[in-house]
Every structure is written in structure tokens, then in C-alpha cells.
Amino acid sequence: MSTATTLTGVCPECETDLTVPPMVTGETLACPECMLTLRVEDVRDGVLSLEMVEVTLRDWGQ
């Protein structure tokens, strides 16, 4: 079994090709193009399946 030194994926929002160090399911990263936070849903054959993370901002009443 070979271990990949980098993984690839595509941002679901802006479709930017991403190359990242090894990651596991549940980890998050930011797309360098659109700055969207993405969560790793699956890793298969060196390819990441990425989902957008919904970010809710706090309303501090200001």
C-alpha cells in the first residue's frame, strides 16, 4: 500500500483545484481562492470529497 504525500480536491463553490497535505475525514481547510471553509467528507484514492461548512456569525447587537 502506498501513502500519498499530497491529496487533491475541488472546491465545491469556486471549483478551484486544491492540492493539500494528507488529511483525514472531518478535518477542515480554507479554499485559497474564495476563502470558504471546507470539511473533508471522504478520502478515496488520493482524492478529497469536500463539503462547504456553514458558518454562522454571532450577532453581538452592535
Side-chain angles (χ1 to χ4, degrees), residues 53-59:
V53 175
E54 292 293 331
V55 178
T56 53
L57 301 175
R58 293 184 114 150
D59 180 4

Side-chain angles (χ1 to χ4, degrees), residues 8-21 23 27-40 48 50-53 55:
T8 59
V10 176
C11 176
E13 182 70 18
C14 69
E15 299 182 354
T16 296
D17 291 324
L18 305 170
T19 302
V20 298
M23 302 184 83
E27 283 191 85
T28 59
L29 65 142
C31 174
E33 189 66 31
C34 69
M35 299 309 294
L36 191 70
T37 300
L38 306 170
R39 181 178 50 242
V40 177
L48 297 171
L50 299 167
E51 286 291 322
M52 177 175 61
V53 175
V55 178

